[in-house]
Amino acid sequence: MKKICYIVAMQAEAQPFIEKYGIKEKEGFFSPLPCKLYKGSINGCTLYVVLNGQQHGSDLVGCEAAAIATLSAIQKLSPDIIINSGTCGAFQAHGADIAEVYIGNGAMFHDRRVPGDDAWGTQSIGNYAVWEGSLRMAESLYMKTGKVTTGSSLDMQPCDLDMIQTHGGQLKDMEGAAVGFVCSLFDIPIVYVKSVTDLCDSGAETFEEFSRNLSKACEALRAANEKVIEYLTNIQ
């Protein structure tokens, strides 16, 4: 793999990684879109980090911004693999803990409620495949795996939880399946690297728990991504 491209929603999620590798921003690369590009090289490979960007002074989180960033990155950079890296919610009932990092073993939408026959339901949920080497990489790096489920809101309604439980979801985010959807259209392999900021079944208020643990989770994400990059750039 000669060109590795990260898709990241928030600056805070990417910054420790950017600083670690000293990669530089290519200002205005995606203009007039808000997406931001950082570019560098490591172990003979080109490393891209694409952020969703900002609007009205805040990071653009959610499916729409992630889909735009992913589409733009694929069309302009032609990466060999996409890595969607970021924070997520998880469940104590599945043994999750704050700042624990997972490799995704699949991705789906948990809040797309489209009635109709099986074809409609299948399309709305998604169930996007991951890079075929994801499980082998997770085992080699001694990292847990879990299914990423994506919705457009930070909170979780009872119907969302029911969908997550029905389909074996373990990690709850706001971008993963949208990135996976775009990758599926171009047949580009995707890896998910997700660090836990909040426990969906802890009883705590989600935004407060997310804010309290964001820095710790992002530092864990940096350490995990170093291992992922080392692994990917040494594949023969």
Side-chain angles (χ1 to χ4, degrees):
M1 296 180 184
K2 294 301 182 182
K3 294 193 288 186
I4 298 170
C5 181
Y6 274 78
I7 303 293
V8 187
M10 299 175 60
Q11 190 78 39
E13 294 169 328
Q15 195 62 34
F17 187 59
I18 289 169
E19 292 176 357
K20 167 64 181 180
Y21 288 106
I23 54 180
K24 303 300 182 182
E25 182 179 359
K26 303 297 181 181
E27 294 187 8
F29 183 83
F30 291 110
S31 181
L33 298 176
C35 315
K36 298 170 67 176
L37 172 67
Y38 293 81
K39 180 182 178 182
S41 61
I42 181 170
N43 296 344
C45 298
T46 301
L47 177 63
Y48 301 112
V49 177
V50 176
L51 278 76
N52 293 354
Q54 295 188 340
Q55 190 176 49
H56 306 305
S58 62
D59 291 316
L60 285 164
V61 298
C63 297
E64 295 87 352
I68 289 171
T70 306
L71 177 62
S72 300
I74 290 173
Q75 290 182 325
K76 298 197 73 171
L77 304 173
S78 300
D80 296 315
I81 193 167
I82 293 283
I83 302 175
N84 177 224
S85 174
T87 55
C88 68
F91 295 85
Q92 288 179 315
H94 294 153
D97 201 359
I98 298 297
E100 193 167 29
V101 182
Y102 287 73
I103 299 296
N105 59 23
M108 59 168 279
F109 291 100
H110 62 245
D111 66 349
R112 297 178 68 181
R113 293 173 285 277
V114 182
D117 59 21
D118 184 61
W120 280 103
T122 298
Q123 184 273 131
S124 64
I125 293 171
N127 277 327
Y128 304 109
V130 298
W131 173 53
E132 62 182 5
S134 290
L135 179 57
R136 186 167 58 253
M137 180 175 69
E139 291 174 345
S140 178
L141 300 180
Y142 302 100
M143 295 170 67
K144 288 184 176 180
T145 62
K147 189 173 186 178
V148 177
T149 78
T150 299
S152 294
S153 299
L154 186 64
D155 68 358
M156 181 174 62
Q157 299 301 310
C159 52
D160 298 335
L161 178 59
D162 181 63
M163 182 71 78
I164 291 169
Q165 292 177 334
T166 297
H167 293 274
Q170 292 173 277
L171 310 172
K172 175 185 174 293
D173 79 347
M174 296 178 66
E175 291 88 20
V179 179
F181 164 65
V182 179
C183 287
S184 74
L185 300 178
F186 290 87
D187 197 27
I188 291 181
I190 182 170
V191 168
Y192 294 99
V193 186
K194 298 289 178 176
S195 182
V196 178
T197 51
D198 54 282
L199 299 170
C200 302
D201 53 352
S202 69
E205 199 282 324
T206 302
F207 185 71
E208 290 181 2
E209 192 174 24
F210 164 80
S211 301
R212 182 170 62 250
N213 296 317
L214 179 60
S215 178
K216 181 179 180 181
C218 289
E219 183 58 27
L221 195 63
R222 176 201 58 77
N225 277 317
E226 286 184 48
K227 297 177 182 179
V228 169
I229 288 294
E230 182 71 18
Y231 183 92
L232 291 177
T233 56
N234 281 288
I235 291 177
Q236 300 300 318

